[in-house]
Amino acid sequence: MSFEKLTQYLESLEDSYDIKGLDMIVKKKHEVIYRHKQGYSDYNYTRPVSENDLYYLYSCTKIATMTACMQQVDAGRIRLDAPVSEYLPEFANMKVADNYVMGDFGNLPNQSSPAHPAKNPILIRDLMAMTAGLSYNTTSEPIMELKERSGNKASTREMVSAIAKMPLLYEPGARHAYSLGHDVIAAVVETVTGQKFRDYVAEHIFNPLGEEDVYFHLREEDRYRLADQYSCDFKTGEKSRHEGNAFELTDEYDSGGAGLITTVDCYSVLLDALACGGIGSNGNRIISWESIEAMKTPRLNAVQLDDFTMKGMFRPGYNYGLGVRVLVDDTKAKSPAGEFGWDGAAGAYALIDSRNGISLFYAQAILGLRGVYSDIHPKIRDLVYECME
């Protein structure tokens, strides 16, 4: 087993993609089999990458949120087939936009758009599988009004009520669209546990695994540890400094879809536990094997799969489970069928292989980097497995 090819590829990313710094870890059955850090956490070359660096995980947060939800499924407090309105009554009488064209994210419906009553209730599994009909509109009228009215202090539960005021893009269960559904799941977890989502995630996921270095809001004393974020200009590719996380809707909002801040070491402990049947390296179980299997079970029918893959152009070989991509065609990858995980807006990438006890976590801090999902992540995935042969 030699990871020389993987190291060479990672080292090439500075020249080919202008990635000045990155951190990556691969584990197998609780053991670190590869670790690579390179470069700098800023483009001024003043801060060498360190295992102490914090990263905004963005949508990689969703894996932790699905773990939290499935813990409550294990406990019998949440049912996958239950209507969301059993937990959040404001979702009882949703409306569906009359004229929305699927995939037209530049023309999302607003509060005054023509709409009709939804025929189907939104189910918990619809939120998790992104088939609920919600959008990813973080600047809708109800959200912006509540932000202003609350002095940017609205809670997760309050903000999710604002999300419920918007028309759905389609009938619940009919199509697939990436959305704020996992933010709503965070509010469901809050409702059934009586805890703020940030406290729940720390107490029931990371602390049992022996980790504490995870946050939903950056503490002032940790600001110096945060890897500098950069954003790419879509046309020129030029990078400029980027501050904050737009998905952190208020100072008190815990985004289940995109809010976590942590280190590569800390998040890898969760991925390792999921790869090893729900049991961490310290022997503590955080989730049942059955719930992991439910997460990685493909959920999309042919129509929904076309939505997810953009008719096969996006993530070839994958379907979507409960908040995670799931490999169903192993001719499209060197990882095995059943491999699952997700990624994040700044380039984070998580892979979980529960068949072989393998997990991978990669982090960088560049938003809008072309090729990161279509080229860099698949190449890293395939090289990991090639190097283990």
Side-chain angles (χ1 to χ4, degrees), residues 149 193 304 309:
R149 189 167 69 249
T193 64
Q304 296 163 340
T309 65

Side-chain angles (χ1 to χ4, degrees), residues 213-232:
D213 206 7
V214 60
Y215 316 96
F216 271 92
H217 303 273
L218 186 65
R219 302 182 305 182
E220 193 59 37
E221 62 264 35
D222 288 321
R223 192 165 296 279
Y224 77 97
R225 299 172 53 201
L226 185 68
D228 285 355
Q229 288 192 104
Y230 293 84
S231 182
C232 287

Side-chain angles (χ1 to χ4, degrees), residues 64-297:
T65 299
M66 294 301 94
T67 302
C69 185
M70 294 309 295
Q71 284 180 330
Q72 292 305 305
V73 171
D74 285 340
R77 297 188 186 98
I78 294 177
R79 293 180 296 111
L80 293 179
D81 287 325
V84 177
S85 58
E86 285 190 14
Y87 311 94
L88 306 175
E90 58 267 41
F91 284 88
N93 298 297
M94 300 300 291
K95 291 187 176 181
V96 179
D98 288 342
N99 303 313
Y100 178 69
V101 177
M102 283 296 296
D104 188 0
F105 301 117
N107 291 291
L108 295 173
N110 56 44
Q111 276 189 294
S112 60
S113 297
H116 58 275
K119 297 176 183 177
N120 301 328
I122 299 175
L123 306 180
I124 292 294
R125 59 177 167 82
D126 288 325
L127 292 177
M128 299 172 80
M130 300 292 190
T131 56
L134 298 174
S135 76
Y136 229 125
N137 187 354
T138 58
T139 58
S140 68
E141 303 103 304
I143 286 176
M144 300 309 290
E145 289 169 4
L146 181 55
K147 281 171 64 74
E148 183 175 358
R149 189 167 69 249
S150 69
N152 206 45
K153 299 293 183 183
S155 68
T156 305
R157 184 68 185 79
E158 291 169 332
M159 192 58 77
V160 163
S161 292
I163 293 171
K165 294 179 180 179
M166 291 297 291
L168 300 175
L169 303 184
Y170 52 83
E171 186 68 33
R175 305 292 295 267
H176 172 95
Y178 206 51
S179 75
L180 289 164
H182 294 176
D183 289 57
V184 179
I185 285 290
V188 172
V189 171
E190 287 195 346
T191 298
V192 301
T193 64
Q195 289 185 281
K196 287 185 177 180
F197 193 60
R198 72 192 78 165
D199 295 333
Y200 180 89
V201 167
E203 182 178 338
H204 295 278
I205 297 177
F206 289 97
N207 291 357
L209 295 174
E211 295 292 337
E212 297 182 351
D213 206 7
V214 60
Y215 316 96
F216 271 92
H217 303 273
L218 186 65
R219 302 182 305 182
E220 193 59 37
E221 62 264 35
D222 288 321
R223 192 165 296 279
Y224 77 97
R225 299 172 53 201
L226 185 68
D228 285 355
Q229 288 192 104
Y230 293 84
S231 182
C232 287
D233 181 274
F234 184 75
K235 293 182 179 178
T236 67
E238 184 177 349
K239 296 174 182 65
S240 59
R241 280 280 293 158
H242 182 92
E243 298 292 340
N245 176 1
F247 300 99
E248 188 178 290
L249 299 182
T250 74
D251 293 340
E252 295 298 324
Y253 181 75
D254 300 341
S255 170
L260 274 181
I261 305 165
T262 188
T263 65
V264 167
D265 279 338
C266 183
Y267 209 61
S268 73
V269 170
L270 169 59
L271 305 182
D272 171 62
L274 295 175
C276 296
I279 300 173
S281 59
N282 60 4
N284 288 339
R285 177 177 289 282
I286 60 165
I287 188 175
S288 71
W289 173 264
E290 291 79 9
S291 281
I292 295 172
E293 290 297 301
M295 285 173 63
K296 62 185 262 191
T297 298

